[in-house]
Every structure is written in structure tokens, then in C-alpha cells.
Amino acid sequence: MSKMTVHAGGARDMGRRFVEAFGRAGSGENFEERHITFLSLEEMMSALTPKRFELLRHLHREEAGSVRALAQALGRDYKRVHEDVAILESAGLIVREDGKLCAPWVSLAAEVAL
């Protein structure tokens, strides 16, 4: 799949991106962009911990049939992995396809608004 861009702060920029994409789609342009916006750098850093990055990398390489299977593959506690999956899935960084967990992004790019 495509690149995912993760933004911290800049809610105004989120609106601008939406308006631009809406205009591009309205003019018939065929494009695919993926964006996730956190309201602050602190919120982004809280969601994207080192353990969660490890989890994302694993799911990018290999799908997991369940959270339990993912926890076993990572050698981590089920409860913690379940929490991590819930946070990453609600943020849009993990996708469930045919009942399996995956992270289909080729790369994650981070952009922080000053």
C-alpha cells in the first residue's frame, strides 16, 4: 500500500489538506494519500511508543490472525499488546483485513507543526 503521513499539531493544516484533496478529487485527479493528525506532539509521541513501532514493523512484515498470535510472535504480554493494538487501530495505523491485523504502509513519515 502507500505511504502514511503522521502529523502532530496543525489542525488548520488538516483542514487545508482536506480542502485540497477534495478539490483534486473533484477535478478528476486520481491520487491516493493517507494522513493521520494528532492534535499535539505529545499526543503523537504517546501513541507511537517504541514498543508500538516494533508492533507496526512486525505487522508490516507479517499479518497476525489475532492479538494473541501477535503477542506470542512478539514475546509480549497479551494485555499490553491488546492495548497497543486498540490504540494503533483507532488511530488508523493498523488495519483489519479478512479478520487479520496488518500494517500495510510502505513507510510512515512524520510531520510536526511548529
Side-chain angles (χ1 to χ4, degrees):
M1 210 177 226
S2 63
K3 174 176 105 173
M4 171 68 78
T5 305
V6 181
H7 303 269
R12 201 173 324 134
D13 290 336
M14 179 176 59
R16 179 189 48 78
R17 283 191 306 276
F18 175 80
V19 169
E20 288 175 0
F22 190 80
R24 291 166 60 192
S27 69
E29 183 179 340
N30 187 12
F31 67 98
E32 183 176 333
E33 292 180 359
R34 305 280 184 188
H35 298 271
I36 295 173
T37 302
F38 292 95
L39 297 179
S40 68
L41 177 60
E42 293 77 16
E43 186 181 307
M44 182 175 84
M45 298 302 289
S46 175
L48 297 174
T49 65
K51 289 287 189 185
R52 291 182 186 141
F53 266 114
E54 176 188 5
L55 188 153
L56 285 171
R57 285 187 185 112
H58 179 84
L59 288 177
H60 175 70
R61 290 188 311 269
E62 184 177 326
E63 296 176 335
S66 67
V67 174
R68 184 166 308 286
L70 178 59
Q72 289 174 345
L74 294 171
R76 292 184 52 207
D77 177 68
Y78 169 82
K79 181 179 177 183
R80 298 292 174 231
V81 172
H82 185 273
E83 291 170 355
D84 289 347
V85 166
I87 288 167
L88 294 171
E89 189 174 19
S90 69
L93 290 164
I94 290 178
V95 177
R96 286 188 193 257
E97 293 179 348
D98 300 323
K100 295 181 180 180
L101 299 166
C102 66
W105 324 114
V106 172
S107 66
L108 291 178
E111 184 177 296
V112 179
L114 299 176

mmCIF file of all heavy atoms in Angstrom, residues 2-27:
data_model
loop_
_atom_site.group_PDB
_atom_site.id
_atom_site.type_symbol
_atom_site.label_atom_id
_atom_site.label_comp_id
_atom_site.label_asym_id
_atom_site.label_seq_id
_atom_site.Cartn_x
_atom_site.Cartn_y
_atom_site.Cartn_z
ATOM 1 N N SER A 2 0.328 2.345 0.290
ATOM 2 C CA SER A 2 1.012 3.624 0.152
ATOM 3 C C SER A 2 1.717 4.062 1.432
ATOM 4 O O SER A 2 1.695 3.395 2.443
ATOM 5 C CB SER A 2 -0.007 4.694 -0.247
ATOM 6 O OG SER A 2 -0.956 4.844 0.791
ATOM 7 N N LYS A 3 2.284 5.218 1.341
ATOM 8 C CA LYS A 3 2.938 5.855 2.473
ATOM 9 C C LYS A 3 1.861 6.491 3.352
ATOM 10 O O LYS A 3 0.881 7.026 2.869
ATOM 11 C CB LYS A 3 3.899 6.925 1.956
ATOM 12 C CG LYS A 3 4.541 7.764 3.020
ATOM 13 C CD LYS A 3 5.539 8.716 2.409
ATOM 14 C CE LYS A 3 4.984 10.105 2.387
ATOM 15 N NZ LYS A 3 5.951 11.117 1.961
ATOM 16 N N MET A 4 2.079 6.440 4.657
ATOM 17 C CA MET A 4 1.197 7.090 5.618
ATOM 18 C C MET A 4 1.961 8.268 6.195
ATOM 19 O O MET A 4 3.105 8.132 6.613
ATOM 20 C CB MET A 4 0.822 6.119 6.735
ATOM 21 C CG MET A 4 0.087 6.754 7.901
ATOM 22 S SD MET A 4 -1.560 7.332 7.493
ATOM 23 C CE MET A 4 -2.455 5.792 7.518
ATOM 24 N N THR A 5 1.342 9.442 6.196
ATOM 25 C CA THR A 5 1.949 10.613 6.804
ATOM 26 C C THR A 5 1.239 10.888 8.115
ATOM 27 O O THR A 5 0.013 11.003 8.158
ATOM 28 C CB THR A 5 1.861 11.844 5.886
ATOM 29 O OG1 THR A 5 2.451 11.511 4.618
ATOM 30 C CG2 THR A 5 2.607 13.018 6.481
ATOM 31 N N VAL A 6 2.023 10.971 9.183
ATOM 32 C CA VAL A 6 1.501 11.226 10.516
ATOM 33 C C VAL A 6 1.861 12.658 10.878
ATOM 34 O O VAL A 6 3.026 13.041 10.814
ATOM 35 C CB VAL A 6 2.103 10.235 11.546
ATOM 36 C CG1 VAL A 6 1.547 10.487 12.925
ATOM 37 C CG2 VAL A 6 1.837 8.802 11.105
ATOM 38 N N HIS A 7 0.856 13.448 11.236
ATOM 39 C CA HIS A 7 1.050 14.860 11.550
ATOM 40 C C HIS A 7 0.818 15.096 13.039
ATOM 41 O O HIS A 7 -0.078 14.500 13.628
ATOM 42 C CB HIS A 7 0.058 15.723 10.766
ATOM 43 C CG HIS A 7 0.133 15.528 9.297
ATOM 44 N ND1 HIS A 7 0.942 16.270 8.485
ATOM 45 C CD2 HIS A 7 -0.513 14.645 8.487
ATOM 46 C CE1 HIS A 7 0.799 15.873 7.230
ATOM 47 N NE2 HIS A 7 -0.080 14.887 7.209
ATOM 48 N N ALA A 8 1.619 15.987 13.613
ATOM 49 C CA ALA A 8 1.424 16.405 15.004
ATOM 50 C C ALA A 8 1.149 17.892 15.015
ATOM 51 O O ALA A 8 1.935 18.682 14.495
ATOM 52 C CB ALA A 8 2.659 16.088 15.840
ATOM 53 N N GLY A 9 0.027 18.279 15.603
ATOM 54 C CA GLY A 9 -0.350 19.684 15.652
ATOM 55 C C GLY A 9 -0.856 20.137 14.299
ATOM 56 O O GLY A 9 -1.015 19.362 13.367
ATOM 57 N N GLY A 10 -1.126 21.395 14.202
ATOM 58 C CA GLY A 10 -1.533 21.936 12.909
ATOM 59 C C GLY A 10 -2.905 21.499 12.465
ATOM 60 O O GLY A 10 -3.081 21.050 11.332
ATOM 61 N N ALA A 11 -3.904 21.630 13.343
ATOM 62 C CA ALA A 11 -5.273 21.277 12.953
ATOM 63 C C ALA A 11 -5.707 22.100 11.743
ATOM 64 O O ALA A 11 -6.468 21.625 10.899
ATOM 65 C CB ALA A 11 -6.231 21.487 14.121
ATOM 66 N N ARG A 12 -5.193 23.318 11.643
ATOM 67 C CA ARG A 12 -5.503 24.160 10.485
ATOM 68 C C ARG A 12 -4.994 23.504 9.207
ATOM 69 O O ARG A 12 -5.655 23.525 8.174
ATOM 70 C CB ARG A 12 -4.857 25.536 10.674
ATOM 71 C CG ARG A 12 -5.480 26.606 9.841
ATOM 72 C CD ARG A 12 -4.952 28.001 10.166
ATOM 73 N NE ARG A 12 -4.658 28.213 11.564
ATOM 74 C CZ ARG A 12 -3.552 28.786 12.030
ATOM 75 N NH1 ARG A 12 -2.646 29.246 11.214
ATOM 76 N NH2 ARG A 12 -3.365 28.942 13.310
ATOM 77 N N ASP A 13 -3.800 22.904 9.284
ATOM 78 C CA ASP A 13 -3.243 22.207 8.124
ATOM 79 C C ASP A 13 -4.093 21.012 7.724
ATOM 80 O O ASP A 13 -4.190 20.676 6.553
ATOM 81 C CB ASP A 13 -1.806 21.760 8.403
ATOM 82 C CG ASP A 13 -0.834 22.922 8.471
ATOM 83 O OD1 ASP A 13 -1.120 23.990 7.890
ATOM 84 O OD2 ASP A 13 0.224 22.761 9.101
ATOM 85 N N MET A 14 -4.691 20.355 8.717
ATOM 86 C CA MET A 14 -5.556 19.213 8.426
ATOM 87 C C MET A 14 -6.731 19.672 7.560
ATOM 88 O O MET A 14 -7.069 19.020 6.573
ATOM 89 C CB MET A 14 -6.073 18.590 9.730
ATOM 90 C CG MET A 14 -6.998 17.410 9.514
ATOM 91 S SD MET A 14 -7.519 16.587 11.045
ATOM 92 C CE MET A 14 -8.316 17.895 11.933
ATOM 93 N N GLY A 15 -7.329 20.785 7.899
ATOM 94 C CA GLY A 15 -8.425 21.324 7.102
ATOM 95 C C GLY A 15 -7.975 21.695 5.703
ATOM 96 O O GLY A 15 -8.676 21.427 4.720
ATOM 97 N N ARG A 16 -6.788 22.281 5.593
ATOM 98 C CA ARG A 16 -6.230 22.653 4.288
ATOM 99 C C ARG A 16 -6.016 21.410 3.432
ATOM 100 O O ARG A 16 -6.365 21.392 2.254
ATOM 101 C CB ARG A 16 -4.919 23.420 4.463
ATOM 102 C CG ARG A 16 -4.267 23.816 3.133
ATOM 103 C CD ARG A 16 -2.857 24.372 3.329
ATOM 104 N NE ARG A 16 -1.998 23.579 4.187
ATOM 105 C CZ ARG A 16 -1.368 22.433 3.823
ATOM 106 N NH1 ARG A 16 -1.539 21.944 2.607
ATOM 107 N NH2 ARG A 16 -0.596 21.792 4.667
ATOM 108 N N ARG A 17 -5.456 20.352 4.023
ATOM 109 C CA ARG A 17 -5.231 19.108 3.272
ATOM 110 C C ARG A 17 -6.548 18.540 2.762
ATOM 111 O O ARG A 17 -6.637 18.061 1.637
ATOM 112 C CB ARG A 17 -4.507 18.074 4.137
ATOM 113 C CG ARG A 17 -3.045 18.323 4.305
ATOM 114 C CD ARG A 17 -2.336 17.135 4.946
ATOM 115 N NE ARG A 17 -2.926 16.702 6.197
ATOM 116 C CZ ARG A 17 -2.663 17.236 7.380
ATOM 117 N NH1 ARG A 17 -1.808 18.238 7.474
ATOM 118 N NH2 ARG A 17 -3.220 16.774 8.476
ATOM 119 N N PHE A 18 -7.586 18.602 3.597
ATOM 120 C CA PHE A 18 -8.890 18.091 3.191
ATOM 121 C C PHE A 18 -9.442 18.886 2.019
ATOM 122 O O PHE A 18 -9.905 18.305 1.030
ATOM 123 C CB PHE A 18 -9.872 18.120 4.362
ATOM 124 C CG PHE A 18 -11.260 17.725 3.951
ATOM 125 C CD1 PHE A 18 -11.595 16.390 3.795
ATOM 126 C CD2 PHE A 18 -12.227 18.681 3.690
ATOM 127 C CE1 PHE A 18 -12.867 16.019 3.396
ATOM 128 C CE2 PHE A 18 -13.505 18.323 3.294
ATOM 129 C CZ PHE A 18 -13.823 16.991 3.151
ATOM 130 N N VAL A 19 -9.397 20.198 2.113
ATOM 131 C CA VAL A 19 -9.934 21.050 1.046
ATOM 132 C C VAL A 19 -9.171 20.807 -0.255
ATOM 133 O O VAL A 19 -9.773 20.687 -1.336
ATOM 134 C CB VAL A 19 -9.893 22.539 1.459
ATOM 135 C CG1 VAL A 19 -10.193 23.456 0.290
ATOM 136 C CG2 VAL A 19 -10.864 22.789 2.611
ATOM 137 N N GLU A 20 -7.842 20.718 -0.178
ATOM 138 C CA GLU A 20 -7.040 20.461 -1.381
ATOM 139 C C GLU A 20 -7.370 19.106 -1.993
ATOM 140 O O GLU A 20 -7.522 18.982 -3.207
ATOM 141 C CB GLU A 20 -5.552 20.555 -1.056
ATOM 142 C CG GLU A 20 -5.068 21.965 -0.809
ATOM 143 C CD GLU A 20 -3.610 22.018 -0.368
ATOM 144 O OE1 GLU A 20 -2.953 20.954 -0.254
ATOM 145 O OE2 GLU A 20 -3.125 23.136 -0.114
ATOM 146 N N ALA A 21 -7.490 18.076 -1.147
ATOM 147 C CA ALA A 21 -7.810 16.741 -1.659
ATOM 148 C C ALA A 21 -9.203 16.713 -2.273
ATOM 149 O O ALA A 21 -9.419 16.095 -3.325
ATOM 150 C CB ALA A 21 -7.703 15.711 -0.541
ATOM 151 N N PHE A 22 -10.136 17.385 -1.651
ATOM 152 C CA PHE A 22 -11.498 17.455 -2.174
ATOM 153 C C PHE A 22 -11.496 18.113 -3.552
ATOM 154 O O PHE A 22 -12.147 17.631 -4.481
ATOM 155 C CB PHE A 22 -12.386 18.235 -1.193
ATOM 156 C CG PHE A 22 -13.846 18.159 -1.532
ATOM 157 C CD1 PHE A 22 -14.595 17.046 -1.199
ATOM 158 C CD2 PHE A 22 -14.470 19.222 -2.169
ATOM 159 C CE1 PHE A 22 -15.951 16.983 -1.506
ATOM 160 C CE2 PHE A 22 -15.816 19.169 -2.477
ATOM 161 C CZ PHE A 22 -16.557 18.043 -2.147
ATOM 162 N N GLY A 23 -10.729 19.185 -3.691
ATOM 163 C CA GLY A 23 -10.632 19.871 -4.982
ATOM 164 C C GLY A 23 -9.970 19.009 -6.038
ATOM 165 O O GLY A 23 -10.413 18.971 -7.195
ATOM 166 N N ARG A 24 -8.907 18.300 -5.648
ATOM 167 C CA ARG A 24 -8.227 17.425 -6.601
ATOM 168 C C ARG A 24 -9.141 16.302 -7.058
ATOM 169 O O ARG A 24 -9.185 15.966 -8.239
ATOM 170 C CB ARG A 24 -6.949 16.863 -5.969
ATOM 171 C CG ARG A 24 -5.884 17.939 -5.775
ATOM 172 C CD ARG A 24 -4.758 17.504 -4.876
ATOM 173 N NE ARG A 24 -4.052 16.340 -5.385
ATOM 174 C CZ ARG A 24 -3.177 15.642 -4.652
ATOM 175 N NH1 ARG A 24 -2.920 15.997 -3.412
ATOM 176 N NH2 ARG A 24 -2.563 14.610 -5.172
ATOM 177 N N ALA A 25 -9.876 15.721 -6.120
ATOM 178 C CA ALA A 25 -10.805 14.645 -6.475
ATOM 179 C C ALA A 25 -11.922 15.179 -7.356
ATOM 180 O O ALA A 25 -12.344 14.525 -8.315
ATOM 181 C CB ALA A 25 -11.364 14.001 -5.212
ATOM 182 N N GLY A 26 -12.406 16.386 -7.044
ATOM 183 C CA GLY A 26 -13.478 16.989 -7.838
ATOM 184 C C GLY A 26 -13.067 17.287 -9.260
ATOM 185 O O GLY A 26 -13.891 17.269 -10.173
ATOM 186 N N SER A 27 -11.762 17.537 -9.472
ATOM 187 C CA SER A 27 -11.284 17.804 -10.827
ATOM 188 C C SER A 27 -10.938 16.521 -11.579
ATOM 189 O O SER A 27 -10.465 16.566 -12.704
ATOM 190 C CB SER A 27 -10.065 18.734 -10.777
ATOM 191 O OG SER A 27 -8.958 18.056 -10.214
#
